[in-house]
Amino acid sequence: MNILTMKKNKGTIEVKTDRRLYVIDFLNDKILSNGKEIKALPSDVIQFYSKCRRSHAYDRETSLLSSLVHKSGNNFKYYREAESFISIAIQNLDLEYRVDLTDMCNLKLTKDYLEWCREHEKTVCLRTIDRYYREKLEDSIPKELKPYYVMMNDYATTKNINKETLFKLLKILKYTVYHLRADEAIDDIKEIGELVDVLTTDESKKLLNTNRTVSQNYRIIEQQEFVGNKAFENTLRKLNFMNGKCFDDYIVVVPQNVMDLIDEGFQQNNCVGYYYNGSIRNGDEYIFFLRKKDKPEKSYITCRYCMFTKKVEEARCKNNRDVDSTAAAIIYRINDLINDTL
């Protein structure tokens, strides 16, 4: 069988040989041979791609369609899914195409991308599509954020990050640089790769906060496994017998969930909300806050009680500063109350 040409019409592909005209009618799930329906294409038609790719005797439309026929065979679903790609490609036959069936079925060819391929003399393929979108994304980055993009590329890949998420990450890097000492900022920025790795869902991306450092954002997303965790929340609430109790000018606030701990850690710039979550869930640690009675919503002192030692092991003000003697005396009284109750 000598195949002469392959041509696409709307909903069909015509394969012209020296003796027959095959029509792949993929809208009606039919294959015709000289007008009569047949069950399947002959192997010569399906395997024609191998001959076509070695010869320069065929036009580009025939070459492109031979690839589609070779990979789709008698599966009409593939022809329908690839039709948009093939139709646009046939209108731009001055370009070279190196794509497989998955590309044809899933990729959308845009006018801008095709013009970019012409301008840069590039083949239409996955590699150039990735490069095109990367360049387009980089061109859209505001001037003040571009240094942070360069910085980010040292520690994380941006290939699968959408524009909105990328801009948030760059603003987070900017915040980190501006709000930490130089050595702290360097160590914090190194965590950008881990932060990018945990951005697996739209919900995790929504948690990104441009007014927090890289590590703070990373920890908040990691903490999501404790959101709604009943064992974790039940342990926290075992200290509820103290919730709202006043001691002189102070009031005890018992966290009810991980978000309360996250807020405390952010306000206090300490590790509560992520470092002890596992031991809290296991019932080994308990957390409570000591705050000024006239400002119960504002963090003041974070306290950690250990079940093994039966005492408050840590009591820290903001930035892990030590508490004064007045607060220390009250915490001592609270320690006795916990031991008498638990």
Side-chain angles (χ1 to χ4, degrees), residues 95-96 114-124 128:
L95 297 171
E96 184 179 352
L114 296 174
E115 286 300 324
W116 180 90
C117 287
R118 287 189 181 91
E119 180 183 348
H120 293 82
E121 297 182 351
K122 298 296 181 182
T123 300
V124 175
T128 59

Side-chain angles (χ1 to χ4, degrees), residues 269-281:
N269 191 30
N270 63 27
C271 66
V272 73
Y274 70 92
Y275 192 81
Y276 293 105
N277 286 356
S279 58
I280 291 171
R281 178 184 53 200

Side-chain angles (χ1 to χ4, degrees), residues 3 16 20 62 72 117 158 183 194 205 209 342:
I3 295 177
K16 187 176 182 181
R20 292 188 173 274
T62 298
S72 299
C117 287
T158 59
D183 55 341
E194 285 81 359
K205 292 171 185 176
N209 189 321
L342 290 181

Side-chain angles (χ1 to χ4, degrees), residues 101 179 212 244 313:
L101 182 60
H179 289 83
R212 291 185 177 135
E313 289 288 350

Side-chain angles (χ1 to χ4, degrees), residues 1-9 12-26 31-35 38 41-49 58 61-62 65-70 73 79:
M1 181 188 298
N2 184 24
I3 295 177
L4 304 177
T5 61
M6 289 188 178
K7 298 293 179 183
K8 182 185 178 303
N9 296 313
T12 65
I13 294 175
E14 296 180 355
V15 182
K16 187 176 182 181
T17 75
D18 51 359
R19 291 178 298 173
R20 292 188 173 274
L21 176 65
Y22 293 96
V23 177
I24 306 168
D25 183 354
F26 51 85
I31 297 175
L32 305 176
S33 173
N34 284 349
I38 58 176
L41 289 168
S43 60
D44 286 355
V45 174
I46 293 175
Q47 299 301 327
F48 173 61
Y49 170 70
Y58 300 96
E61 180 175 356
T62 298
L65 290 174
S66 71
S67 174
L68 175 60
V69 171
H70 173 69
Y79 289 107

Side-chain angles (χ1 to χ4, degrees), residues 8 29 63 120 164 229 238 248 255 263 266 295 311:
K8 182 185 178 303
D29 292 3
S63 178
H120 293 82
E164 180 183 4
N229 187 309
K238 282 186 177 180
D248 299 335
D263 180 65
F266 179 61
K295 293 181 179 179
K311 68 178 182 179

Side-chain angles (χ1 to χ4, degrees), residues 22-267:
Y22 293 96
V23 177
I24 306 168
D25 183 354
F26 51 85
L27 290 186
N28 296 301
D29 292 3
K30 292 181 180 180
I31 297 175
L32 305 176
S33 173
N34 284 349
K36 293 183 179 181
E37 187 171 352
I38 58 176
K39 290 184 178 180
L41 289 168
S43 60
D44 286 355
V45 174
I46 293 175
Q47 299 301 327
F48 173 61
Y49 170 70
S50 299
K51 178 181 178 181
C52 190
R53 66 185 300 187
R54 294 194 302 267
S55 172
H56 297 290
Y58 300 96
D59 60 34
R60 289 197 170 184
E61 180 175 356
T62 298
S63 178
L64 187 63
L65 290 174
S66 71
S67 174
L68 175 60
V69 171
H70 173 69
K71 291 160 186 172
S72 299
N74 298 291
N75 191 319
F76 301 108
K77 174 176 174 285
Y78 292 147
Y79 289 107
R80 286 191 288 271
E81 291 179 350
E83 182 173 20
S84 176
F85 182 99
I86 291 294
S87 296
I88 295 173
I90 289 173
Q91 295 172 32
N92 295 272
L93 288 174
D94 58 308
L95 297 171
E96 184 179 352
Y97 296 85
R98 293 179 185 170
V99 290
D100 61 20
L101 182 60
T102 302
D103 300 337
M104 293 180 188
C105 291
N106 296 320
L107 295 179
K108 182 179 180 181
L109 296 178
T110 65
K111 181 179 178 181
D112 287 345
Y113 165 64
L114 296 174
E115 286 300 324
W116 180 90
C117 287
R118 287 189 181 91
E119 180 183 348
H120 293 82
E121 297 182 351
K122 298 296 181 182
T123 300
V124 175
C125 61
L126 280 181
R127 180 178 54 80
T128 59
I129 285 176
D130 287 343
R131 179 177 166 185
Y132 163 73
Y133 280 111
R134 175 176 290 273
E135 288 186 8
K136 188 176 180 180
L137 182 61
E138 290 177 355
D139 290 342
S140 70
I141 297 173
K143 184 178 180 180
E144 68 272 12
L145 293 179
K146 285 195 173 180
Y148 304 101
Y149 178 73
V150 174
M151 189 183 302
M152 182 176 174
N153 280 333
D154 284 339
Y155 301 103
T157 176
T158 59
K159 181 178 179 180
N160 296 318
I161 301 175
N162 61 32
K163 182 177 177 179
E164 180 183 4
T165 303
L166 176 62
F167 283 15
K168 278 188 177 181
L169 289 167
L170 297 180
K171 289 175 182 177
I172 288 167
L173 282 174
K174 182 178 180 180
Y175 181 92
T176 302
V177 170
Y178 272 75
H179 289 83
L180 295 180
R181 295 174 60 87
D183 55 341
E184 294 174 335
I186 291 172
D187 290 338
D188 207 83
I189 289 167
K190 289 178 181 178
E191 290 194 41
I192 192 70
E194 285 81 359
L195 177 57
V196 170
D197 288 342
V198 298
L199 298 177
T200 56
T201 66
D202 288 338
E203 290 304 313
S204 63
K205 292 171 185 176
K206 289 176 184 176
L207 292 171
L208 291 174
N209 189 321
T210 56
N211 291 319
R212 291 185 177 135
T213 66
V214 172
S215 58
Q216 287 169 342
N217 275 278
Y218 174 58
R219 288 160 188 162
I220 287 172
I221 293 175
E222 275 206 320
Q223 287 155 350
Q224 290 311 293
E225 69 171 289
F226 295 97
V227 174
N229 187 309
K230 296 302 179 185
F232 180 80
E233 293 176 354
N234 287 340
T235 303
L236 285 176
R237 294 167 186 173
K238 282 186 177 180
L239 295 186
N240 272 355
F241 62 86
M242 295 195 310
N243 203 17
K245 282 189 177 295
C246 295
F247 297 84
D248 299 335
D249 294 331
Y250 297 90
I251 185 171
V252 175
V253 175
V254 177
Q256 302 297 296
N257 51 54
V258 72
M259 298 311 295
D260 291 342
L261 295 178
I262 291 171
D263 180 65
E264 178 80 1
F266 179 61
Q267 289 194 57

